[in-house]
Amino acid sequence: MLPIGERRRRIPPARRASLALASLLAAACASPPEVPVPPVVAPPPPPVDGDRGVGVAEVGRFVIRSGADTVSIETFRSSASASRSDMRIRGGPTLQVGTEVGGDALIPSATLLFWRPGAPTSDPPDVEIVVTFSDAEVSVQRTTLGGGQTTERRDVQPGTMPWTNPSMILLEQVVRRGRAAGVTSVPLYDALGGGALSEAFLAAGTADTVIVTLPDAEFHLAIDALGRLVGGRVAPSGATISREPLTVN
């Protein structure tokens, strides 16, 4: 790991970002408020690079609910070569995830933008992370709100995918990667978790279901013939996942 241009003291915002996402989701699923919270209303993200060349495959949103309460909404716009999503957690931060999608369902690069709770996305993000994978190495550039910047390079397993919980657009890509490569485990790099390495284990259920086991969650997912995540639940909380189409404007 080779930090460049900034002391380590500027790295913790990224770690706090990941902990905030994971803890807020867990708390929301485990202890929903007595008064239902209205769903977060967010327009589809702007067009991704390559939309004009390959056409927009879909514009929609993933919604995680605990009972009648909305826990998080991740609106997305995807094409054959890229995706962009805007994820908002109830009472918590906002995360935007942009990816390129290459052959064998790999993601060669991803950009993650993180805003603290209550901060409008028209403001500069608190943390910006650009992740680039090349063979068995990942290069990570982190920029914090104050202008501090670090660049790190480290060895990873070939085929490592970017990850941050609970991004369903990334989880869907992990499932697609497993199917494209014919593997039952996919190595992950958690850019918001300070570079934590882990694995997603995939186990087939029925013909159209898959169980994805991660260190911090287990997802029971329904998958369609195109490999899209169309619904599911999170164990052990029982929170449900739904995919909802949106109209392209």
Side-chain angles (χ1 to χ4, degrees), residues 79-140:
S79 70
S81 61
S83 69
R84 183 170 300 161
S85 70
D86 182 312
M87 181 171 62
R88 305 187 181 195
I89 296 178
R90 181 183 63 200
T94 297
L95 177 67
Q96 291 184 358
V97 180
T99 70
E100 295 180 16
V101 181
D104 290 332
L106 284 170
I107 295 179
S109 66
T111 300
L112 298 91
L113 307 178
F114 176 89
W115 286 263
R116 66 189 180 281
T121 54
S122 56
D123 289 351
D126 291 81
V127 181
E128 177 179 353
I129 302 176
V130 179
V131 184
T132 305
F133 296 93
S134 177
D135 297 324
E137 182 182 79
V138 61
S139 174
V140 186

Side-chain angles (χ1 to χ4, degrees), residues 2-245:
L2 302 174
I4 301 174
E6 188 190 19
R7 290 180 293 176
R8 290 181 178 272
R9 64 183 179 84
R10 292 191 180 273
I11 297 178
R15 185 179 295 276
R16 290 199 300 270
S18 177
L19 292 175
L21 286 169
S23 62
L24 281 165
L25 179 68
C29 290
S31 304
E34 294 182 3
V35 179
V37 176
V40 179
V41 177
V48 298
D49 294 340
D51 276 356
R52 292 181 178 85
V54 298
V56 174
E58 185 178 7
V59 176
R61 65 182 187 178
F62 290 106
V63 183
I64 298 180
R65 296 183 175 92
S66 179
D69 297 306
T70 299
V71 175
S72 70
I73 292 182
E74 182 177 15
T75 59
F76 66 88
R77 181 186 292 264
S78 65
S79 70
S81 61
S83 69
R84 183 170 300 161
S85 70
D86 182 312
M87 181 171 62
R88 305 187 181 195
I89 296 178
R90 181 183 63 200
T94 297
L95 177 67
Q96 291 184 358
V97 180
T99 70
E100 295 180 16
V101 181
D104 290 332
L106 284 170
I107 295 179
S109 66
T111 300
L112 298 91
L113 307 178
F114 176 89
W115 286 263
R116 66 189 180 281
T121 54
S122 56
D123 289 351
D126 291 81
V127 181
E128 177 179 353
I129 302 176
V130 179
V131 184
T132 305
F133 296 93
S134 177
D135 297 324
E137 182 182 79
V138 61
S139 174
V140 186
Q141 179 177 296
R142 294 183 179 91
T143 303
T144 56
L145 186 59
Q149 189 175 95
T150 65
T151 299
E152 301 173 3
R153 296 180 181 87
R154 65 179 299 180
D155 294 335
V156 295
Q157 295 183 54
T160 295
M161 301 281 283
W163 171 247
T164 186
N165 190 23
S167 173
M168 295 297 101
I169 200 73
L170 290 181
L171 184 63
E172 178 179 85
Q173 201 61 34
V174 167
V175 174
R176 284 180 166 167
R177 168 59 185 167
R179 290 190 165 192
V183 296
T184 57
S185 66
V186 176
L188 304 177
Y189 176 86
D190 190 343
L192 279 175
L197 298 174
S198 61
E199 283 188 90
F201 295 94
L202 288 71
T206 62
D208 56 358
T209 63
V210 63
I211 299 172
V212 182
T213 303
L214 300 169
D216 54 358
E218 183 176 278
F219 297 89
H220 296 244
L221 307 174
I223 306 295
D224 68 8
L226 299 176
R228 301 182 312 160
L229 191 168
V230 295
R233 63 183 179 86
V234 185
S237 70
T240 60
I241 304 165
S242 62
R243 183 192 198 103
E244 302 174 358

